[in-house]
Amino acid sequence: MTLLTSYFVSKEEKLKDTNDALLSLSKGKCQNNCPVYDLWIFENGQVIYKGIENVSKEGVHTITISTDLVRKMYDLILNCNPRDIGGAKGRDNPLTIIKFNNKKVVFQSQRAKGNLLELNNLLEHIASTINEIDD
């Protein structure tokens, strides 16, 4: 988590096409007002966050994280095991979708294990950090 301390907010940097993202995360709705947002991570460390519902920051925001952290996340996703997904339990648990290399992993973050859980925690921490930044 200490790698996140090198972020900065940028309003002037041109936003990348989200289709070019190395990795993306989408948090879905639930019955208990769960945060709903999308997050795109690029190889150069640019992060695009789009707050949709039940978040402190709605709309599009960007930060930059270290490329070491990007590599760590990519390594985690490459080393995920299908058992890391866990089983679905309950309709009130929101679905999380991670996309990478034209693949999609759909899971409930409360049920994730192993590398998928660690990756999910990193991505959620980035989103949380963005929501805490004063613009």
Side-chain angles (χ1 to χ4, degrees):
M1 297 298 175
T2 58
L3 295 172
L4 281 177
T5 58
S6 64
Y7 70 82
F8 66 90
V9 177
S10 172
K11 292 185 179 182
E12 296 162 15
E13 187 174 342
K14 184 178 185 303
L15 293 180
K16 294 182 176 277
D17 181 351
T18 56
N19 291 324
D20 295 333
L22 179 69
L23 176 65
S24 70
L25 170 105
S26 294
K27 287 291 199 175
K29 292 183 178 185
C30 73
Q31 294 175 349
N32 290 326
N33 299 323
C34 297
V36 180
Y37 60 88
D38 294 323
L39 192 69
W40 295 272
I41 309 288
F42 295 86
E43 282 185 70
N44 68 353
Q46 182 182 25
V47 177
I48 299 175
Y49 167 90
K50 181 179 179 186
I52 300 168
E53 192 175 319
N54 303 318
V55 292
S56 300
K57 291 198 175 170
E58 292 186 355
V60 176
H61 302 271
T62 65
I63 64 169
T64 299
I65 59 174
S66 73
T67 54
D68 288 340
L69 184 55
V70 173
R71 278 191 292 276
K72 178 178 180 173
M73 288 187 286
Y74 193 69
D75 287 344
L76 286 169
I77 196 72
L78 288 179
N79 292 304
C80 280
N81 184 308
R83 290 176 296 217
D84 291 349
I85 294 172
K89 186 171 186 178
R91 292 187 336 202
D92 190 38
N93 295 324
L95 290 179
T96 299
I97 301 170
I98 293 179
K99 294 179 185 175
F100 69 101
N101 288 345
N102 295 318
K103 296 176 185 166
K104 179 167 51 170
V105 178
V106 180
F107 62 100
Q108 292 176 326
S109 58
Q110 304 89 326
R111 312 281 296 163
K113 299 179 257 181
N115 288 331
L116 184 60
L117 176 61
E118 187 175 347
L119 175 64
N120 183 72
N121 290 343
L122 282 171
L123 292 167
E124 286 183 355
H125 183 72
I126 292 169
S128 174
T129 299
I130 292 169
N131 277 289
E132 295 170 2
I133 296 172
D134 291 329
D135 288 329

